Amino acid sequence: PDVPSSVAIKALRRWAGELEAHGGRLIVAGVTPAARRILERGGLHDVLGADGIVPATDRVFGALDTAVTRGREWIAGRS
């Protein structure tokens, strides 16, 4: 399906928590508007932060490029 299930949301929450516990973070890229609404309802917006959900784009690897940039900015901000 095009939208995440409750099992997927729970797994993402768990993964984000594990990464955070070890000094990392999760950024989800390529998210459709419908999937974003479900992720937000599942509380992932609160877990991942405002920049932790990257919308899908029409450009090949566009969302991935944005996620990598956000990750690098996050790392730079920790230094």
Side-chain angles (χ1 to χ4, degrees):
D2 291 338
V3 294
S5 69
S6 62
V7 172
I9 291 171
K10 287 177 187 175
L12 288 169
R13 288 177 69 89
R14 186 174 52 251
W15 191 16
E18 289 174 8
L19 287 168
E20 185 177 357
H22 292 92
R25 76 172 293 202
L26 177 65
I27 298 174
V28 181
V31 180
T32 65
R36 183 181 188 98
R37 286 190 295 276
I38 291 171
L39 293 175
E40 288 174 350
R41 272 188 262 149
L44 271 178
H45 185 269
D46 297 333
V47 172
L48 301 178
D51 64 342
I53 300 175
V54 180
T57 68
D58 292 336
R59 191 171 57 86
V60 175
F61 298 117
L64 178 61
D65 290 342
T66 299
V68 168
T69 298
R70 290 180 184 181
R72 286 181 175 150
E73 290 169 351
W74 178 78
I75 290 169
R78 294 174 47 101
S79 304

